[in-house]
Amino acid sequence: IIHDCSNTYAMKMLAMDEKAKGEKQRQSWENMYRKDALTGLLTRSAFQSDVEEKLLDDNVRVMFLMIDVDEFKQYNDTFGHRAGDNFLVLVSQAIQSALRGSDLACRMGGDEFAAALFFKRECQTEFMCKRARQIYEKVASMIVKENDKGSISMGAAIAENKDESFVQLYESADRALYNS
């Protein structure tokens, strides 16, 4: 007697269990290698990879935001590193809550954060700048509401042509940050 057991309930349950294990392992890998351990935002390398992919899309305009916590060293020296870490988590949560689901945010390192906003190709620059101001105001107000000792600075750059690289966009936004 030959019996095909591949389509039985037990085999289906085994297959579903293996699929769930694989998904859990993938999520674990993503959390370990693509996300910053402290803030939960993307790491710089994961962020760069994802933004570079969007820069290649002819239907998308990219705006790059650099966000810096003002006088963070002084904050750490005054309140301690644990309070500093908690403040960085607060900033990351404020940034994430100000963004749309399709936008990306990362911790570039230390007290510097970045965000990439994606718009349709036909979107006007004026609208993009208005959106950046809204994000700044929301993040700044959330930080002040939770901690009146903190403030941020922000710089923005828009990829004006499809040949613009991540590094060029990053450097432009970083210059704008320091000018602010």
Side-chain angles (χ1 to χ4, degrees):
I1 297 175
I2 300 173
H3 179 70
D4 180 7
C5 64
S6 64
N7 205 18
T8 64
Y9 176 76
M11 290 304 286
K12 287 180 183 177
M13 294 308 292
L14 254 160
M16 284 176 53
D17 189 44
E18 287 300 313
K19 185 177 179 182
K21 283 181 187 176
E23 180 61 23
K24 195 172 190 179
Q25 193 171 30
R26 187 196 61 76
Q27 286 178 342
S28 173
W29 175 86
E30 185 169 305
N31 286 335
M32 185 179 300
Y33 296 106
R34 288 184 48 87
K35 300 218 174 153
D36 178 67
L38 177 65
T39 64
L41 297 177
L42 290 173
T43 62
R44 180 183 178 142
S45 59
F47 178 76
Q48 182 172 348
S49 174
D50 292 355
V51 172
E52 284 174 341
E53 188 177 319
K54 286 288 193 179
L55 284 168
L56 296 173
D57 188 340
D58 290 336
N59 299 317
V60 175
R61 287 187 77 190
V62 179
M63 175 182 261
F64 196 103
L65 305 177
M66 284 297 298
I67 303 163
D68 184 67
V69 177
D70 298 330
E71 300 175 12
F72 185 67
K73 183 184 180 336
Q74 183 180 356
Y75 184 91
N76 255 351
D77 292 346
T78 304
F79 301 104
H81 289 282
R82 176 170 285 189
D85 285 351
N86 290 338
F87 188 66
L88 291 177
V89 170
L90 170 70
V91 172
S92 68
Q93 290 171 343
I95 292 168
Q96 194 65 43
S97 73
L99 299 178
R100 300 168 299 178
S102 60
D103 299 330
L104 300 174
C106 86
R107 181 175 177 206
M108 293 297 274
D111 64 342
E112 280 194 339
F113 297 85
L117 312 177
F118 307 111
F119 300 90
K120 292 180 181 175
R121 175 60 56 195
E122 60 273 4
C123 186
Q124 299 297 313
T125 301
E126 182 181 311
F127 176 81
M128 295 170 74
C129 293
K130 182 179 177 182
R131 180 72 183 111
R133 280 190 297 277
Q134 289 171 342
I135 290 169
Y136 173 80
E137 289 167 4
K138 183 172 183 178
V139 172
S141 69
M142 287 178 74
I143 289 169
V144 169
K145 181 177 151 187
E146 292 295 320
N147 185 333
D148 62 351
K149 303 275 189 269
S151 65
I152 60 165
S153 297
M154 188 173 91
I158 299 172
E160 294 299 339
N161 61 59
K162 66 179 186 174
D163 297 329
E164 200 156 355
S165 72
F166 175 88
V167 172
Q168 291 169 318
L169 204 52
Y170 167 69
E171 289 172 351
S172 295
D174 203 38
R175 278 192 302 277
L177 168 69
Y178 283 103
N179 287 336
S180 73

